[in-house]
Structure formats: C-alpha cells, structure tokens
Amino acid sequence: VFQFQDYKTLYTVHAKVEPAKGNEFCRASTLCPMTIQLEQLNPTPHTSLFYEVIADQTQWAVCGRQGAVINLQQSYRQNIIVDVMPLTGGHLPLPTVRLSKYIPAEGKGGGGLG
C-alpha cells in the first residue's frame, strides 16, 4: 500500500480565459487572453519553474509562447498572460497548465535556452 506522508502544497495555479476587449464572450477564431496566476504557498528551494500551456489542438490554438522559465525568488506570486484562440464554439475545457521544477543545463557554452 502506497501512502503520502508529511506533504505540503508548494504552489497553486489559477487559470482563466476572458473574452477579448469589447466582447461579451470568447468566440471561435478570436484571440482571447488566458491569465495564469502562479503562487508559492510554502517555502521551497526550487524557485525556478517551467510552466507549459497544453491544449487540445482540435479545440484551442495557443498563440505565442506556450511555455517559459519563471523565477519566484523575488515575488511569491506571478501573473502570466498567454493568448489563446478557441477553434470551435461551445463550452470548451480550458487548456492545461503544467508546472515543473526547472533544472538548468550544465556544461554548455552558451548558457541560454533553446
């Protein structure tokens, strides 16, 4: 039997998609801002995180950057805005936001991403 013991929630992720300015609803083929709020709840040595927006490609198009490294060392709360476009009408499930511990690559001369 597997049991969790002594665990804490380290981060919360809140995501919402709002209609474009001037619109009452998100409409198919219209860019809408998706606001992602990440908040650190408990102390952790891992302050560099990689977030990724994962969408069903038959329902949503993620426009622009789908993921990036963020640092929660200075602030315990971070807001990220990603443009998404619904591809069909109706009540769609939101794209998923995946949060991972970021481990930088070592030994590479450039030191940059990608």
Side-chain angles (χ1 to χ4, degrees):
V1 176
F2 183 76
Q3 293 181 339
F4 287 108
Q5 293 181 347
D6 196 27
Y7 65 92
K8 291 182 181 180
T9 300
L10 297 178
Y11 305 97
T12 58
V13 178
H14 295 277
K16 65 179 176 179
V17 175
E18 298 179 302
K21 288 191 182 212
N23 289 335
E24 188 176 346
F25 302 104
C26 268
R27 301 191 185 279
S29 301
T30 303
L31 282 178
C32 299
M34 178 177 180
T35 303
I36 303 165
Q37 184 182 68
L38 304 175
E39 184 173 4
Q40 183 177 333
L41 299 179
N42 287 295
T44 176
H46 309 293
T47 56
S48 289
L49 303 171
F50 181 76
Y51 78 87
E52 185 176 10
V53 178
I54 302 167
D56 180 338
Q57 294 180 353
T58 63
Q59 297 179 339
W60 293 97
V62 180
C63 306
R65 182 174 276 184
Q66 295 181 0
V69 176
I70 59 165
N71 193 326
L72 292 173
Q73 193 168 8
Q74 304 296 334
S75 171
Y76 291 111
R77 183 177 293 159
Q78 187 99 10
N79 286 326
I80 302 155
I81 297 176
V82 177
D83 283 328
V84 295
M85 180 187 300
L87 300 177
T88 61
H91 294 280
L92 305 178
L94 288 179
T96 301
V97 178
R98 181 168 47 195
L99 197 58
S100 308
K101 177 173 63 172
Y102 176 68
I103 302 171
E106 295 183 28
K108 302 214 175 181
L113 294 174

